[in-house]
Amino acid sequence: MARVRKNVYEELDKVKKLILVRFPEIEVRNWCSFLSKLAIYHYKKRKVMLLGKERQVYNHLIENSYNPYTVYRWALLERVPDEIRFQLKNHYLSQKKAASVAFQRKHETHTSLQIDIRQHGLRIVREM
């Protein structure tokens, strides 16, 4: 049986709508940290207690057949740069590889040449 690859961003939008319809008071700004707590609780990595809204959202995700850890990974992929997002949407990269590439880019060391090229590029853009 062939696996159908889901579009991460479409699925994440579905989950956001599902949660925000039921819990409109949840802030989207703190979405990743909120989901992180649910993901940690789901796999009992640390002793974390879910109370109140967190517990209700966790149960709502489980009732609707969403793994909280998977939803958290999708939310992290929402932060990746546009070129990585494009490759992910067109299935050139796996989710794991996309997260890895984004992490590497974020933590690259800046040599003087890289800084010079970046400054020149930014100056050209400003002059346009």
Side-chain angles (χ1 to χ4, degrees):
M1 184 167 127
R3 280 182 56 187
V4 176
R5 290 179 75 177
K6 297 178 183 177
N7 186 334
V8 175
Y9 302 107
E10 290 174 5
E11 286 294 316
L12 185 61
D13 285 340
K14 285 182 192 176
V15 173
K16 277 185 183 179
K17 287 175 187 171
L18 179 77
I19 297 299
L20 293 176
V21 165
R22 175 96 187 269
F23 306 100
E25 65 277 3
I26 293 177
E27 294 181 27
V28 179
R29 266 185 288 152
N30 303 328
W31 187 245
C32 274
S33 62
F34 186 79
L35 289 174
S36 170
K37 191 176 253 190
L38 299 182
I40 290 169
Y41 175 80
H42 186 68
Y43 283 113
K44 297 176 181 36
K45 300 265 183 183
R46 289 186 228 130
K47 292 184 180 181
V48 176
M49 284 182 45
L50 296 181
L51 303 171
K53 290 289 177 218
E54 293 170 345
R55 172 60 90 175
Q56 292 173 354
V57 171
Y58 176 82
N59 289 335
H60 192 60
L61 284 173
I62 297 297
E63 288 168 5
N64 288 288
S65 302
Y66 284 106
N67 182 330
Y69 189 77
T70 302
V71 174
Y72 171 62
R73 282 193 336 233
W74 293 343
L76 290 177
L77 288 173
E78 192 174 37
R79 296 179 173 181
V80 299
D82 289 336
E83 63 273 3
I84 296 174
R85 184 178 294 200
F86 175 78
Q87 291 177 348
L88 187 60
K89 279 184 181 179
N90 292 318
H91 306 295
Y92 298 132
L93 288 177
S94 66
Q95 292 178 17
K96 187 173 185 176
K97 185 68 175 171
S100 174
V101 169
F103 180 82
Q104 288 173 353
R105 284 201 188 158
K106 185 176 180 181
H107 293 90
E108 284 178 340
T109 57
H110 294 287
T111 63
S112 61
L113 179 60
Q114 288 174 328
I115 292 171
D116 288 341
I117 292 171
R118 184 166 182 242
Q119 288 173 348
H120 288 300
L122 290 173
R123 187 177 36 124
I124 290 169
V125 170
R126 271 189 240 119
E127 292 174 357
M128 293 176 97

